[in-house]
């Protein structure tokens, strides 16, 4: 069995090396084809091609760095926006439930209310019920896209409780005034003593914990956004340096490829002049103006 496994690994290594060799051969063929094409170009086109390639690499490198940097920055920014939106919705829900509870308790505990005062206090209950209805509808519409796991757990645990409490609060808000103050207190006291009201108090305590988690995540999100901005700047600067260095190397090599044949031709001409040796000749490597000049120089020497 071990022998079979070793044979399988050996075959895999051979296949991998064969694939790499084939890939290298293909790359060398493409490179040689490119070199043949450049040899046939004139000097003007070689210069244009070299600097255009260097300029394109500089632009491509900088654009790539900018794209990568923007990706990390926007991802951190979107994460922060989602967390901020969810904590804001949770805070609105908390305020609605808490204000509704406080308004009802205020009516129950305040003695000798005038009809106008009772009407004013009860109007606050109605407003909170309407606000709770709107906020809860918005949160239910976004319940499938929560990114805070604690908030998802809260929906699963207390979603039905809040829905029932909202309906009961709507029934309370439909009480027609004027009624006797004692009758209103009896109805509200009965509502406060219901199990659903005690469950809402537990939900409020749970929301306070989630709000603290959300505030901490908001702080972490702001820190991550600052780090993403720094990372974006670093990536852009690094990509600009690398691409500029590559562009400079390409421009340098292009210049050397043009100047080297001229230097060789100059050296050979000096040797012929110094030694009076007309058996020397220049090797013609290209078909551009320099190649034509070298060929003409060789013909001049032979004559």
């Amino acid at each position: 069995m071990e022998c079979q496994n070793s044979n399988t690994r050996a075959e895999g290594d051979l296949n991998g090396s064969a694939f790499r060799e084939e890939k290298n051969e293909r790359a060398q063929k493409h490179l040689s084809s490119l070199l043949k094409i450049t040899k046939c170009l004139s000097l003007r086109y070689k210069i244009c091609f070299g600097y255009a390639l260097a300029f394109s690499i500089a632009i491509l490198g900088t654009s790539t760095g900018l794209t990568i940097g923007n990706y990390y920055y926007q991802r951190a920014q979107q994460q922060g926006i989602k967390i901020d939106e969810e904590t804001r919705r949770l805070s609105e829900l908390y305020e609605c439930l808490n204000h509704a509870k406080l308004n009802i308790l205020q009516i129950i505990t305040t003695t000798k209310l005038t009809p106008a005062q009772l009407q004013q206090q009860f109007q606050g209950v109605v407003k909170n019920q309407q606000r709770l209805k709107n906020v809860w509808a918005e949160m239910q519409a976004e319940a499938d896209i929560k990114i805070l796991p604690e908030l998802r757990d809260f929906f699963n645990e207390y979603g039905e409780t809040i829905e029932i409490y909202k309906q009961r609060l709507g029934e309370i808000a439909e009480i027609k005034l004027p009624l006797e103050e004692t009758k209103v207190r009896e109805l509200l006291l009965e509502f406060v003593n219901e199990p659903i009201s005690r469950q809402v108090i537990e939900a409020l305590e749970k929301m306070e914990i989630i709000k603290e988690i959300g505030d901490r995540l908001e702080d972490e999100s702001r820190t991550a956004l600052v780090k993403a901005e720094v990372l974006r700047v670093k990536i852009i600067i690094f990509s600009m340096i690398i691409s500029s260095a590559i562009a400079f190397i390409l421009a340098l090599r292009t210049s050397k490829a043009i100047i080297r044949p001229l230097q060789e031709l100059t050296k050979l001409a000096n040797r012929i002049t110094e030694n009076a040796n007309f058996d020397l000749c220049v090797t013609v490597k290209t078909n551009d103006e320099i190649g034509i000049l070298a060929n003409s120089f060789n013909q001049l020497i032979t004559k």
Side-chain angles (χ1 to χ4, degrees), residues 221-239:
S221 175
R222 295 189 190 97
T223 304
L225 189 62
V226 173
K227 291 181 178 179
E229 174 65 18
V230 173
L231 179 62
R232 179 172 69 168
V233 173
K234 287 182 178 179
I235 290 175
I236 293 173
I237 294 175
F238 180 76
S239 62

Side-chain angles (χ1 to χ4, degrees), residues 123-136:
Q123 194 64 31
V125 176
V126 175
K127 289 180 179 179
N128 279 310
Q129 185 273 335
Q130 187 61 41
R131 186 184 175 195
L132 174 62
K133 180 179 178 180
N134 297 333
V135 172
W136 183 242

Side-chain angles (χ1 to χ4, degrees), residues 175-226:
I175 295 177
K176 302 298 183 182
L177 296 180
L179 282 179
E180 291 185 3
E181 183 180 339
T182 55
K183 181 63 176 176
V184 174
R185 282 201 181 93
E186 288 176 2
L187 292 174
L188 294 180
L189 189 61
E190 180 183 351
F191 172 67
V192 169
N193 291 328
E194 290 180 3
I196 194 66
S197 296
R198 292 193 293 270
Q199 292 175 6
V200 167
I201 294 175
E202 295 177 1
L204 287 171
E205 295 174 353
K206 183 72 173 180
M207 279 191 282
E208 288 179 356
I209 298 174
I210 299 175
K211 282 173 62 181
E212 293 178 358
I213 296 174
D215 292 338
R216 189 184 73 248
L217 289 178
E218 281 190 65
D219 294 337
E220 293 176 357
S221 175
R222 295 189 190 97
T223 304
L225 189 62
V226 173

Side-chain angles (χ1 to χ4, degrees), residues 51 61 68 97 130 137 156 158 165 199 215 276:
Y51 284 101
I68 296 173
L97 293 172
Q130 187 61 41
N156 294 332
Y158 293 101
Y165 184 82
Q199 292 175 6
D215 292 338

